[in-house]
Amino acid sequence: MIESITDTKKINTGEEYINSLRNRNLKVWLFGEMVKEPVDHPMIRPSINALAKTYDLAIAVPELASVISPFTGERISRFLHVCTNVEDLVLQNKMQRKLGQLTGTCFQRCVGMDAFNSLYSVTFEMDEKHGTTYHEKLKGFLTRMHQNNFVVGGAMTDVKGDRSLPPHQQEDKDMFVHITNRTKDGVYISGAKAHQTGCINSHWMVVMPTMRLGEKDSEFAIVGAVPVDAEGITYVYGRQSCDKRSMEGGSIDVGNAQYGGQEAMVIFENTFIPNEYIFMDGEYDFAAMLVERFTTYHRRSYVCKSGVGDVLIGAAASVVDMNGVPKASHIKNKLVEMTHLNETVYGTGIAASYQGYKTKSGAYICDEMLANVCKHHVTKMPYEIGRLAQDLAGGLVATLPSEQDLNHPEIGDLLQKYLRGKADVKTEDRMRILRLIENMTLGRNAVGYLTESMHGAGSPQAQRIQIGRMMQLEYKKRLAKIIAGVETEENKDLLIDELSGYFGRVFKI
Ligand code: SF4
Ligand code: FE
C-alpha cells in the first residue's frame, strides 16, 4: 500500500486532489454496504469538495494558503507546514476563517496540521530526554508528505470503553489503540478511533494516544503514520442529520449542495506501522505533553467556525431582506449580536496565535489559555448565533415544503405564489436561503457548526479543566490583597518576579 502512494505525483489543484482519491482500496461501510468508490458517492462527495477547496485556495491566494516547504523548496499547502514564527500561526487562522467562509462547513484538514506542529516539538524534547531519534524520522515523514502535497489526517480520540479505568485496566484492551505485535521492522496496532474528521479523504493518517498515560500503559503510548489504505483498516461512515437529502438528486432541500463535513470511525486490526514512521513507542511520560500541545493548536483552530458563522450571518441577513424587513431595529440588533459573538470566537483564536512562542525545537506554539478560551466560546456561541438565525428566518425554516412539490406541475404554481416574500425575489431563492439556514442549524452542517463545535478538540469540560489549571488564582488573590492593603508593599517586587507562565509570555511580548 505504501508503495502505491509513493508513486503518486505532487498534487496541486482541487481536481488533482479529487482524482488522487480514486481507485484506492479503502474499506468504507455506509448504510450496511461497502462503498465502491467514495469519490462518486453523493453523500461523501460534498466532504471531498470541501477539502478540495484547500488546494484551490492555495492556488488562488498562495500567500494565505500555501508556503515554500523548508524540506523540498517547493510550494505546498499551509496545512502541511510547521510554524516557525508568530505570523505562521496567525496565517493558519486567517486561512481557516476564509475556508469556513467559502465552504460553510468543516474542510477537515486542521487535525493533521495541528498534529505535525505538536509532534515537531514533542519528538524533539522526547529525543533530548530518552536519546531516541523520533524528531529526524518525523522530518523524513514530513518531507515525504511535502513531496506529494498530501492530505494527512490525525487520529486521536480512542473509543475509551469504561471511562473510569485507565487503558491497561480495560476489560478489552482494544478500547485504546495499542501495540499487538512487534517485529524488527515495526509494530502492529489494534483498536478504534471514534469520529475521525476527514479520515477517508486523507492520504495518510497520524495515530496518536488520546490522553495522559501511566507506566503500565506503555503499550498504548504509540504514535505513528500509516497510509489510509493500509491493510487492517476499516472505516464506518458516520451518518448526519438529513444526510440522505444529498442522495435525492435536487439542489434546494440539501441546503449546501456542494460542501459537507465527514466523520467516521476508524478500526485498526493488526495494522502495521514501519519503524521509519514511528514517532513514539512506549514513552508514556510524553503522552500528556503531546495531547496538551495538540489541543493547544487545535482549540484555536476552531476559528474555522467564525468563517462558517459569517455564512450563517449572511444567510440570516439575506432572508430578512427577502422578507422585506431589513431595517427593523430589533432585526439589526440581532444581526449585530450574531456578529459580536462570531468575532469573539475569532478574536480569542487569533489572539492565541499572536501570543505564540518558540518551543525548544524552534516550532512555534500558540497560547494555551487563549486557545482554550476560544474553543470554550465555540461550545456555546454558535448555538446562540444559530438560535438568532432561526429567529430571523421565521417558522418556514422548519416547515418548508419539499423541492419536489415546488417543482410539481400540479401544486408548484400555488407554492410559488404562497411561499413568496418580496415581489422581486424569486420564491426558489428564498427557499434556498431558508434551506441553507436549516442545513447549518438543524441539518447536515449543524453537525459541524453545533455538535462538533461542542465536542471537537475536547468537550467543554476539557477546556474548563485547562483554564482552571492556568488561571493563577493565588497570584490574582495577592494582586487584590496588595491593592486592598491586606498584604505589605514589599510583596510588590515579588509580584514582578512571579511573572511566569501565561502572564510571563504576555509580559515579554
Ligand atoms: Fe478544521 Fe474546524 Fe474542521 Fe476542525 S472543525 S478540522 S478546526 S475546519
Ligand atoms: Fe474537529
Side-chain angles (χ1 to χ4, degrees):
M1 299 300 165
I2 294 173
E3 296 321 312
S4 69
I5 283 186
T6 322
D7 296 340
T8 314
K9 62 180 186 17
K10 182 170 175 250
I11 300 161
N12 290 310
T13 66
E15 202 188 333
E16 285 168 5
Y17 159 70
I18 292 170
N19 287 331
S20 77
L21 300 183
R22 288 189 182 281
N23 304 316
R24 297 185 301 167
N25 193 23
L26 292 180
K27 273 208 275 185
V28 182
W29 285 90
L30 175 58
F31 299 132
E33 288 174 1
M34 284 262 258
V35 177
K36 283 200 185 72
E37 177 51 87
V39 177
D40 296 324
H41 195 290
M43 208 179 104
I44 300 177
R45 184 54 180 266
S47 70
I48 295 174
N49 293 342
L51 212 150
K53 207 73 187 163
T54 67
Y55 284 96
D56 290 335
L57 184 67
I59 289 174
V61 196
E63 61 281 18
L64 179 63
S66 73
V67 291
I68 301 292
S69 163
F71 302 119
T72 66
E74 287 201 38
R75 197 162 274 283
I76 52 148
S77 169
R78 185 174 292 286
F79 284 99
L80 291 172
H81 182 55
V82 172
C83 295
T84 54
N85 52 48
V86 163
E87 199 193 359
D88 280 345
L89 290 165
V90 169
L91 284 170
Q92 284 183 340
N93 280 158
K94 293 191 175 181
M95 167 179 74
Q96 286 161 326
R97 184 165 188 172
K98 179 52 70 187
L99 284 163
Q101 291 175 341
L102 296 175
T103 60
T105 189
C106 166
F107 37 87
Q108 311 144 50
R109 226 178 153 178
C110 318
V111 184
M113 174 177 84
D114 297 334
F116 303 143
N117 275 273
S118 41
L119 270 173
Y120 197 86
S121 63
V122 172
T123 51
F124 186 91
E125 289 171 45
M126 226 181 333
D127 289 352
E128 223 180 36
K129 180 171 173 197
H130 292 291
T132 42
T133 56
Y134 298 126
H135 191 66
E136 279 311 306
K137 286 203 278 180
L138 180 71
K139 283 198 207 163
F141 173 67
L142 283 172
T143 306
R144 185 156 173 197
M145 297 302 103
H146 287 196
Q147 278 160 355
N148 295 87
N149 205 16
F150 276 144
V151 173
V152 185
M156 184 170 260
T157 311
D158 285 299
V159 291
K160 296 194 195 83
D162 182 340
R163 269 65 173 168
S164 71
L165 298 175
H168 71 274
Q169 279 179 18
Q170 296 286 331
E171 201 178 305
D172 180 352
K173 270 190 190 174
D174 292 345
M175 294 302 102
F176 289 81
V177 167
H178 63 110
I179 296 171
T180 52
N181 196 7
R182 191 181 283 282
T183 66
K184 67 174 186 6
D185 300 320
V187 300
Y188 291 81
I189 58 165
S190 285
K193 296 287 187 183
H195 26 82
Q196 293 306 301
T197 303
C199 49
I200 291 156
N201 299 342
S202 303
H203 300 102
W204 283 72
M205 101 179 100
V206 176
V207 182
M208 299 169 280
T210 201
M211 60 185 217
R212 176 181 296 275
L213 298 172
E215 201 176 340
K216 291 184 180 153
D217 296 319
S218 61
E219 70 188 278
F220 301 88
I222 177 77
V223 176
V226 286
V228 295
D229 57 353
E231 216 154 297
I233 304 183
T234 304
Y235 301 87
V236 188
Y237 210 90
R239 67 171 312 180
Q240 299 170 331
S241 170
C242 309
D243 50 14
K244 280 201 167 171
R245 288 198 191 180
S246 52
M247 298 166 76
E248 288 171 1
S251 69
I252 301 176
D253 285 0
V254 70
N256 182 348
Q258 238 186 310
Y259 304 113
Q262 174 185 99
E263 314 286 338
M265 175 173 282
V266 185
I267 300 169
F268 299 96
E269 291 170 293
N270 291 316
T271 303
F272 180 65
I273 312 178
N275 287 331
E276 186 185 358
Y277 297 127
I278 294 175
F279 313 124
M280 177 190 286
D281 181 4
E283 291 80 6
Y284 63 88
D285 48 333
F286 279 85
M289 181 192 276
L290 176 61
V291 174
E292 271 166 29
R293 290 195 184 167
F294 171 77
T295 52
T296 294
Y297 285 108
H298 201 46
R299 287 179 184 163
R300 70 80 242 205
S301 279
Y302 272 73
V303 298
C304 67
K305 305 297 179 197
S306 64
V308 178
D310 289 329
V311 177
L312 187 55
I313 293 167
S318 300
V319 87
V320 298
D321 283 351
M322 291 169 166
N323 291 346
V325 287
K327 294 202 176 104
S329 66
H330 73 97
I331 283 179
K332 271 204 163 158
N333 239 326
K334 283 168 188 159
L335 290 168
V336 168
E337 178 63 9
M338 291 166 85
T339 305
H340 152 70
L341 294 169
N342 201 44
E343 296 301 333
T344 303
V345 167
Y346 185 66
T348 43
I350 199 127
S353 292
Y354 273 112
Q355 298 281 38
Y357 62 98
K358 197 176 182 176
T359 61
K360 281 185 183 172
S361 65
Y364 270 62
I365 188 164
C366 47
D367 182 284
E368 298 98 301
M369 174 64 100
L370 292 175
N372 276 280
V373 170
C374 171
K375 175 67 217 319
H376 204 53
H377 281 330
V378 169
T379 66
K380 302 173 182 177
M381 291 177 176
Y383 285 89
E384 179 60 9
I385 297 170
R387 188 185 74 82
L388 290 166
Q390 289 184 352
D391 178 352
L392 293 175
L396 264 184
V397 76
T399 64
L400 209 54
S402 74
E403 174 170 5
Q404 287 93 330
D405 292 319
L406 182 78
N407 296 328
H408 197 276
E410 221 174 300
I411 191 71
D413 286 349
L414 284 173
L415 292 181
Q416 289 284 355
K417 173 183 160 90
Y418 288 115
L419 291 175
R420 215 171 181 91
K422 277 179 75 176
D424 60 348
V425 176
K426 280 191 348 206
T427 301
E428 183 189 311
D429 290 348
R430 183 163 175 251
M431 281 181 73
R432 283 183 180 278
I433 292 288
L434 286 166
R435 286 292 183 207
L436 176 60
I437 295 172
E438 183 197 35
N439 165 276
M440 298 180 77
T441 63
L442 295 162
R444 188 165 182 189
N445 286 317
V447 173
Y449 189 56
L450 302 180
T451 318
E452 205 270 347
S453 290
M454 170 83 84
H455 294 294
S459 307
Q461 190 56 24
Q463 292 109 56
R464 295 186 88 85
I465 290 168
Q466 287 297 94
I467 292 169
R469 274 191 198 138
M470 290 181 287
M471 67 184 172
Q472 296 192 309
L473 269 194
E474 288 312 310
Y475 176 76
K476 289 171 186 173
K477 281 196 271 187
R478 292 188 52 222
L479 292 176
K481 285 177 183 167
I482 287 169
I483 288 175
V486 178
E487 282 196 22
T488 57
E489 276 291 303
E490 310 83 87
N491 281 336
K492 272 185 178 167
D493 294 340
L494 271 176
L495 283 180
I496 290 165
D497 288 347
E498 274 180 19
L499 283 169
S500 60
Y502 173 61
F503 286 108
R505 283 198 297 281
V506 176
F507 181 71
K508 277 177 210 146
I509 287 164

